[in-house]
């Protein structure tokens, strides 16, 4: 395959996770016995620009369908994270009623509603109808479209451009990265800022977070490689912050090359993180191969733990029908003969089945009823919140376990 950014031919795979179903494609009861489509999930690293990527196997319009099940507003955590960001960025960029904010992949408007509330004009761009309709009914202006260069030009023609463009956990989902970043430049005002939040590749590799690799995530970014991409579109990253979200994320601030924001910034924060990345070896291709080796060790440990419990006739269930859980379960080959069911609090998901493993998704209350011996937390990035929620299971001495970055019991 060719690198999606610099077009260099990539021959060797970094990590082959096998052929898996789309992580967010939960199965309805009626389709349980139908043939399920799977697609190769193989990670590649470009030896020239070190962009880590998967070959596009599944078209975006098949992933982000009308039935897309992820509603950001259902997560209290993301609501608070968004609210805090909006307050901070409003002060940082001195946004007021004359400002205009665009969010790409604005989901159900969970973030932009904070701007609507304080009278700052905004526009959400969101391809999935189910979430966009919710945003519209809550008074958040939203276009139901994929964001790309064509759309950016159309907006520009209508004199729509932004003081702030927000991209939270969306850049990985964009198949045509050059078209997309070029489009950002078109709708960014002269002194405008683009903020991008994304899981940091360095954390993924250091902490064995291989379960964040799935078909919906085409790219995995280091700051150094993202900087190369932005520079090629004459955009400059002038600030960066480290966040705890998704097991360690970065939030970058970018603007047009050479404007007053760019010139006045010191960029020390950017240089500092790039230096850490280079010290870890992100500029060497063999740095990336540890990912597959570490994931394989983790798989063996996880399987040994679960099989030992099953031999002792212990019942095992899981918490959280999240996408990353599916990568983990399917890479390890864990099915419903090991994990009886997974509980989730999203009404939308209850009664459906996880793709490929076909583990049923049941309501949270089932834990009290069944009193399982072992509970596996799949969304380990929300571990603290979930452990607090599962405190009551200690009344029957349930063992709670997470597998990433390594096996740990609570
Ligand atoms: Zn490349």
């Amino acid at each position: 395959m060719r690198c999606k950014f610099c077009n260099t031919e990539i021959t060797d795979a970094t990590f082959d996770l096998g052929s898996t179903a789309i992580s967010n494609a939960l199965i309805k009861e009626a389709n349980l016995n139908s043939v399920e489509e799977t697609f190769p999930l193989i990670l590649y690293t470009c030896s020239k620009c070190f962009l880590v990527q998967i070959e596009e196997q599944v078209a975006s319009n098949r992933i982000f369908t009308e039935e897309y099940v992820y509603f950001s507003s259902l997560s209290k955590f993301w609501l608070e994270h968004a609210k805090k960001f909006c307050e901070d960025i409003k002060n940082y960029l001195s946004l007021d009623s004359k400002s205009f904010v665009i969010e790409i992949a604005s989901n159900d408007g969970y973030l932009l509603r904070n701007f609507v509330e304080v009278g700052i004009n905004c526009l959400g761009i969101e391809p999935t109808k189910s979430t966009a309709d919710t945003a519209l009914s809550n008074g958040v202006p939203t276009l139901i479209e994929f964001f790309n260069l064509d759309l950016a030009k159309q907006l520009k023609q209508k004199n729509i451009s932004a003081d702030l463009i927000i991209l939270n956990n969306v850049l990985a989902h964009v198949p045509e990265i050059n078209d997309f970043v070029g489009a950002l430049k078109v709708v960014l005002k002269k002194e405008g800022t683009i903020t991008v939040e994304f899981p940091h590749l360095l954390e993924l590799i250091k902490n064995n977070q291989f379960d964040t690799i799935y078909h919906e995530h085409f790219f995995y970014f280091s700051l150094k490689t993202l900087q190369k991409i932005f520079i090629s579109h004459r955009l400059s990253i002038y600030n960066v912050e480290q966040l705890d979200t998704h097991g360690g994320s970065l939030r970058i601030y970018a603007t047009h090359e050479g404007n007053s924001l760019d010139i006045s910034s010191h960029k020390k924060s950017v240089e500092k993180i790039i230096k850490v990345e280079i010290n870890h070896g992100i500029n060497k291709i063999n740095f990336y191969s540890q990912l597959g080796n570490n994931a394989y060790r983790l798989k063996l440990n996880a399987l040994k733990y679960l099989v030992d419990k099953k031999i002792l006739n212990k019942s095992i269930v899981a918490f959280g029908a999240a996408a990353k859980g599916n990568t983990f379960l399917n890479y390890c080959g864990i099915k419903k003969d090991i994990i009886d069911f997974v509980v989730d609090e999203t009404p939308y998901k209850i009664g459906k089945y996880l793709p490929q493993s076909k583990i049923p998704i049941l309501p949270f209350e089932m834990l009290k009823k069944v009193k399982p011996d072992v509970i596996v937390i799949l969304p380990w990035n929300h571990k603290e919140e979930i452990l607090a929620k599962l405190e009551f299971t200690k009344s029957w001495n349930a063992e709670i376990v997470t597998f990433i970055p390594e096996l740990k019991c609570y």
Side-chain angles (χ1 to χ4, degrees):
M1 70 174 283
R2 287 195 172 272
C3 172
K4 280 286 203 173
F5 166 56
C6 76
N7 208 31
T8 298
E9 178 74 32
I10 309 175
T11 46
D12 299 329
T14 300
F15 178 27
D16 186 346
L17 289 92
S19 202
T20 70
I22 302 176
S23 268
N24 274 317
L26 302 178
I27 309 171
K28 290 178 188 161
E29 174 116 47
N31 301 331
L32 204 51
N33 294 322
S34 311
V35 176
E36 200 180 3
E37 259 189 297
T38 60
F39 305 88
L41 185 56
I42 309 171
L43 200 70
Y44 294 91
T45 309
C46 173
S47 60
K48 188 171 172 220
C49 71
F50 299 103
L51 179 59
V52 175
Q53 54 205 297
I54 63 165
E55 198 166 10
E56 188 185 0
Q57 298 282 352
V58 193
S60 310
N61 58 11
R62 284 198 53 186
I63 295 172
F64 303 104
T65 62
E66 282 192 19
E67 292 188 354
Y68 189 64
V69 288
Y70 190 79
F71 283 78
S72 301
S73 287
L74 293 169
S75 163
K76 211 176 127 202
F77 175 85
W78 285 116
L79 284 177
E80 281 167 13
H81 180 76
K83 193 171 177 4
K84 169 105 181 36
F85 167 73
C86 292
E87 283 165 9
D88 292 348
I89 196 81
K90 179 175 171 276
N91 295 331
Y92 184 69
L93 298 176
S94 308
L95 301 174
D96 58 27
S97 59
K98 292 191 266 331
S99 308
F100 195 75
V101 178
I102 292 178
E103 189 189 10
I104 320 280
S106 48
N107 199 273
D108 55 12
Y110 77 106
L111 187 144
L112 286 180
R113 71 187 199 190
N114 294 295
F115 289 115
V116 173
E117 273 168 22
V118 294
I120 294 176
N121 295 311
C122 59
L123 176 68
I125 299 171
E126 169 57 52
T128 57
K129 195 173 179 303
S130 52
T131 54
D133 281 346
T134 307
L136 284 165
S137 66
N138 289 330
V140 177
T142 304
L143 268 181
I144 307 177
E145 299 265 14
F146 276 102
F147 181 75
N148 55 27
L149 195 54
D150 285 342
L151 183 69
K153 285 176 180 165
Q154 285 171 36
L155 293 173
K156 187 77 183 168
Q157 267 176 4
K158 291 177 190 159
N159 279 324
I160 296 173
S161 55
D163 299 280
L164 169 64
I165 305 175
I166 303 165
L167 289 99
N168 283 356
N169 297 305
V170 59
L171 209 53
H173 296 286
V174 173
E176 299 303 331
I177 188 83
N178 284 321
D179 176 275
F180 186 90
V181 177
L184 294 174
K185 191 170 172 78
V186 171
V187 285
L188 184 68
K189 281 189 189 164
K190 203 167 160 245
E191 296 291 325
T193 288
I194 303 165
T195 63
V196 188
E197 282 185 36
F198 59 98
H200 192 190
L201 176 65
L202 190 60
E203 299 296 329
L204 190 164
I205 295 178
K206 264 168 53 191
N207 296 313
N208 212 359
Q209 299 162 352
F210 70 90
D211 61 342
T212 59
I213 301 166
Y214 40 92
H215 294 110
E216 294 92 319
H217 286 168
F218 303 120
F219 301 110
Y220 305 81
F221 298 103
S222 65
L223 181 57
K224 180 68 190 162
T225 297
L226 192 60
Q227 189 189 46
K228 282 180 197 167
I229 297 170
F230 273 61
I231 287 174
S232 79
H233 293 275
R234 304 200 56 226
L235 292 165
S236 169
I237 299 175
Y238 69 89
N239 191 8
V240 60
E241 293 164 358
Q242 287 176 295
L243 310 170
D244 292 334
T245 50
H246 288 299
S249 295
L250 296 180
R251 177 190 291 143
I252 60 137
Y253 297 72
T255 191
H256 293 290
E257 224 171 66
N259 70 8
S260 64
L261 271 174
D262 184 29
I263 289 164
S264 67
S265 83
H266 298 293
K267 296 183 196 162
K268 283 223 170 68
S269 55
V270 182
E271 288 158 22
K272 203 173 138 198
I273 291 177
I274 289 180
K275 201 171 164 207
V276 172
E277 290 182 336
I278 290 173
N279 286 342
H280 272 90
I282 59 135
N283 268 357
K284 295 186 187 95
I285 196 77
N286 55 7
F287 171 71
Y288 299 87
S289 60
Q290 60 181 294
L291 191 58
N293 301 336
N294 292 342
Y296 182 63
R297 295 304 310 172
L298 190 147
K299 171 178 176 168
L300 295 180
N301 284 332
L303 287 174
K304 183 173 186 312
Y305 171 87
L306 294 169
V307 169
D308 285 350
K309 293 287 177 195
K310 281 318 252 193
I311 289 171
L312 295 171
N313 281 324
K314 303 284 186 193
S315 57
I316 307 174
V317 306
F319 180 99
K324 57 165 63 72
N326 291 319
T327 293
F328 169 76
L329 295 169
N330 294 328
Y331 171 69
C332 294
I334 299 164
K335 299 195 186 300
K336 64 178 177 187
D337 53 357
I338 298 283
I339 292 183
D340 301 336
F341 58 83
V342 53
V343 293
D344 201 280
E345 294 175 297
T346 316
Y348 222 89
K349 297 183 181 178
I350 311 292
K352 293 183 178 142
Y353 296 77
L354 297 183
Q356 212 163 350
S357 65
K358 297 188 176 167
I359 296 170
I361 307 168
L362 301 180
F364 184 69
E365 293 70 40
M366 283 301 284
L367 290 181
K368 264 191 192 126
K369 213 170 150 188
V370 175
K371 297 189 170 56
D373 300 308
V374 178
I375 305 169
V376 179
I377 297 179
L378 294 173
W380 47 263
N381 51 324
H382 296 302
K383 184 182 72 185
E384 301 303 331
E385 197 182 332
I386 297 167
L387 280 172
K389 210 174 266 178
L390 294 177
E391 191 56 38
F392 71 96
T393 65
K394 289 295 167 197
S395 68
W396 67 86
N397 289 323
E399 185 160 279
I400 303 171
V401 60
T402 50
F403 291 115
I404 290 171
E406 58 196 356
L407 198 155
K408 197 169 172 196
C409 299
Y410 304 88

